[in-house]
């Protein structure tokens, strides 16, 4: 018997729907955070302030949750793949929106100055280094921060694993990065690529890794009522006199409350994801959103502004009103679904165009080949 017939079929790595649901919660929270807020004055609830308590760090938790030390140590392939995969999408979206900048300005999507051709070319080149200045890509500050966190985390993990006492070094790195990250933010210093936030996120990456390592035990303690308690605790912390969390603006409440608030927010997301995952259709919807989180991050601002432009024209608002960024009106009930699901529609349309274009090219090639054979 042929030895090849005895060999097992290659295994196709399946995505973990629970992780995709977590990412779906994260990206939906980002859209909510950038849109008009739902408020409940009686309890001081503000949806934007609430989701800002966790919406960035849940992705850093997922980074650590998915980190496989058997495949990522040594980390150089992991680092290369992260830079290429994130950098490719970052560059493509930068080029698209830089080319559209002047037209979006004319349409009233943004209130800015037009770009000259040489400025557009320079900005495109800068985007290769994860550095783009474009209003519609404001949320993309997260990308280089994420990439640098992944690089530093994987290198620290590698260094620790090379020692005789890796756990001692892992704990030391957690303590050091936590201290340095808080110090960098407390000093209100701004660093290139938001590196201060990358350092702040490293303990969260470690948290994600160790949660995944002991997930079979820990998941029993992730409950719906625990999620409610965590949400109440997070709400209490971020509505104190110290203020909330807004990492894009270097705001972290206080050095003593940031990580407690962050871990409460992550637990809330874990519990919510567990509830969502128990139902077939909610699991599919949130997982699908999570799979396309990068595209939603890149496209949701232009979708929100599309709502503003249409509403502004219908209600005869002047351009200086509906061009306000990131949103102009109190239309959260429209912003939320449009900001989340319109980008998905755009991506599916692009996939269909790509499919039919490839099919058309294939048919043309086949006809040319058949004609050549007949001659």
């Amino acid at each position: 018997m042929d030895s090849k017939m005895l060999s097992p079929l290659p295994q196709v790595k399946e995505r973990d729907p629970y992780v995709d649901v977590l990412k779906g919660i994260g990206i939906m929270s980002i859209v909510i955070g950038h849109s008009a807020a739902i408020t409940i004055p009686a309890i001081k609830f503000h949806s934007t302030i609430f989701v800002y308590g966790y919406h960035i760090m849940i992705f850093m938790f997922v980074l650590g949750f998915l980190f496989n030390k058997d495949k990522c140590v040594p980390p150089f392939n992991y680092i290369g793949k992260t830079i290429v995969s994130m950098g490719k999408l970052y560059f493509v979206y930068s080029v698209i929106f830089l080319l559209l900048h002047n037209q979006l300005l004319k349409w009233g999507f943004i209130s800015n100055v037009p770009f000259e051709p040489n400025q557009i070319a320079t900005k495109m080149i800068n985007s290769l280094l994860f550095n783009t200045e474009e209003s519609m890509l404001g949320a993309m500050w997260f990308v280089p921060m994420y990439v640098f966190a992944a690089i530093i985390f994987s290198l620290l993990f590698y260094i620790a694993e090379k020692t005789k006492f890796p756990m001692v070094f892992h704990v030391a790195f957690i303590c050091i990065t936590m201290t340095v990250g808080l110090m960098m933010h407390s000093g209100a210093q701004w660093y290139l690529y938001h590196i201060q936030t990358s350092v702040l996120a490293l303990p969260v990456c470690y948290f994600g890794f160790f949660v995944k390592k002991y997930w079979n035990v820990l998941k029993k303690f992730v409950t719906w009522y625990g999620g409610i308690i965590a949400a109440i605790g997070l709400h209490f912390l971020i509505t104190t006199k110290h203020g909330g969390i807004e990492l894009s603006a270097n705001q972290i409440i206080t050095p003593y409350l940031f990580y407690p608030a962050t871990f409460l927010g992550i637990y809330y997301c874990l519990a919510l994801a567990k509830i969502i995952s128990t139902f077939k259709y909610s699991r599919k919807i949130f997982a699908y959103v999570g799979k396309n989180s990068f595209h939603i991050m890149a496209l949701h601002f232009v979708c929100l502004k599309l709502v503003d432009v249409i509403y502004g024209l219908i209600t005869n608002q002047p351009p200086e009103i509906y061009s306000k960024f990131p949103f102009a009106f109190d239309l959260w009930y429209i912003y939320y679904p449009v900001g989340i699901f319109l980008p998905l529609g755009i991506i599916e349309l692009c996939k269909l165009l790509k499919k039919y274009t490839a099919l058309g090219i294939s048919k043309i090639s086949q006809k040319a080949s058949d004609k050549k054979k007949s001659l």
Side-chain angles (χ1 to χ4, degrees):
M1 187 179 290
D2 191 343
S3 61
K4 292 182 180 179
M5 296 180 65
L6 296 174
S7 61
L9 292 172
Q11 293 184 348
V12 178
K13 184 179 179 182
E14 295 184 1
R15 296 178 70 105
D16 184 347
Y18 181 76
V19 173
D20 282 328
V21 169
L22 274 176
K23 291 169 66 179
I25 293 170
I27 193 60
M28 286 183 177
S29 298
I30 285 176
V31 174
I32 290 171
H34 292 155
S35 307
I38 300 173
T39 60
I40 307 176
I43 60 172
K44 298 181 180 180
F45 178 80
H46 191 286
S47 60
T48 298
I49 295 174
F50 182 77
V51 298
Y52 271 26
Y54 63 82
H55 71 340
I56 293 298
M57 287 299 167
I58 191 62
F59 285 98
M60 311 315 298
F61 172 86
V62 169
L63 186 157
F65 196 85
L66 293 176
F67 189 82
N68 187 334
K69 73 173 184 178
D70 295 328
K71 295 182 179 180
C72 302
V73 177
F76 308 109
N77 285 337
Y78 170 78
I79 291 173
K81 288 179 180 178
T82 301
I83 293 173
V84 171
S85 63
M86 300 292 278
K88 180 171 62 176
L89 288 172
Y90 186 92
F91 176 71
V92 169
Y93 278 114
S94 295
V95 169
I96 291 172
F97 281 107
L98 285 169
L99 291 175
L100 288 174
H101 176 88
N102 291 344
Q103 191 59 54
L104 291 174
L105 186 62
K106 290 179 182 178
W107 289 340
F109 277 64
I110 50 178
S111 177
N112 209 318
V113 294
F115 291 160
E116 298 296 329
N118 62 323
Q119 290 178 298
I120 293 174
T122 300
K123 290 176 185 295
M124 286 182 182
I125 294 171
N126 288 340
S127 70
L128 290 170
L129 300 174
F130 293 102
N131 186 15
T132 296
E133 296 177 7
E134 170 53 41
S135 299
M136 286 298 174
L137 296 175
M140 300 285 270
W141 72 268
F142 168 80
V143 177
M145 184 280 290
Y146 179 95
V147 169
F148 275 94
I151 292 171
I152 299 169
F153 175 64
S154 60
L155 288 173
L156 292 178
F157 204 98
Y158 175 56
I159 293 170
E161 290 294 312
K162 293 287 286 183
T163 66
K164 292 182 178 179
F165 307 101
M167 187 54 68
V168 173
F169 278 83
H170 285 314
V171 172
F173 287 147
I174 291 171
C175 295
I176 292 170
T177 54
M178 185 180 292
T179 303
V180 173
L182 291 172
M183 288 176 62
M184 292 172 79
H185 278 77
S186 297
Q189 296 296 316
W190 290 84
Y191 298 88
L192 190 62
Y193 298 123
H194 258 270
I195 196 77
Q196 71 275 15
T197 311
S198 300
V199 177
L200 194 72
L202 294 175
V204 180
C205 298
Y206 262 113
F207 180 57
F209 174 81
F210 286 114
V211 167
K212 178 59 181 295
K213 185 176 180 179
Y214 301 106
W215 184 238
N216 288 334
V217 176
L218 293 176
K219 65 182 178 182
K220 300 174 185 177
F221 300 97
V222 178
T223 61
W224 65 268
Y225 53 86
I228 293 174
I229 294 171
I232 293 172
L234 174 62
H235 172 68
F236 173 76
L237 290 181
I238 59 180
T239 54
T240 62
K241 62 181 180 179
H242 300 293
I245 295 172
E246 188 175 352
L247 294 176
S248 64
N250 268 5
Q251 185 178 340
I252 60 168
I253 313 183
T254 70
Y256 307 103
L257 295 179
F258 173 74
Y259 285 111
T262 295
F263 293 135
L264 284 171
I266 290 171
Y267 183 94
Y268 160 73
C269 291
L270 290 171
L272 182 58
K274 195 172 183 180
I275 295 169
I276 291 169
S277 297
T278 59
F279 303 99
K280 179 182 177 181
Y281 293 107
S282 60
R283 180 175 67 248
K284 284 186 175 181
I285 292 170
F286 275 78
Y288 177 65
V289 170
K291 289 177 186 177
N292 292 282
S293 57
F294 194 107
H295 301 298
I296 295 173
M297 182 179 6
L299 293 170
H300 74 279
F301 272 147
V302 73
C303 294
L304 297 180
K305 293 311 301 176
L306 177 62
V307 172
D308 283 342
V309 171
I310 293 174
Y311 184 81
L313 292 174
I314 291 173
T315 57
N316 295 316
Q317 301 286 340
E320 56 266 25
I321 295 297
Y322 61 74
S323 63
K324 290 180 181 178
F325 196 81
F327 62 89
F329 306 105
D330 187 20
L331 301 171
W332 63 265
Y333 45 89
I334 302 177
Y335 291 142
Y336 293 0
V338 169
I340 294 165
F341 294 107
L342 183 55
L344 296 177
I346 294 171
I347 293 303
E348 288 303 316
L349 179 61
C350 290
K351 287 180 181 178
L352 281 175
L353 291 174
K354 182 179 179 181
K355 177 182 177 181
Y356 285 113
T357 301
L359 186 62
I361 293 173
S362 177
K363 286 182 178 180
I364 293 171
S365 299
Q366 185 62 44
K367 286 181 180 180
S369 178
D370 292 343
K371 185 177 181 181
K372 185 176 181 181
K373 286 180 181 178
S374 65
L375 294 175

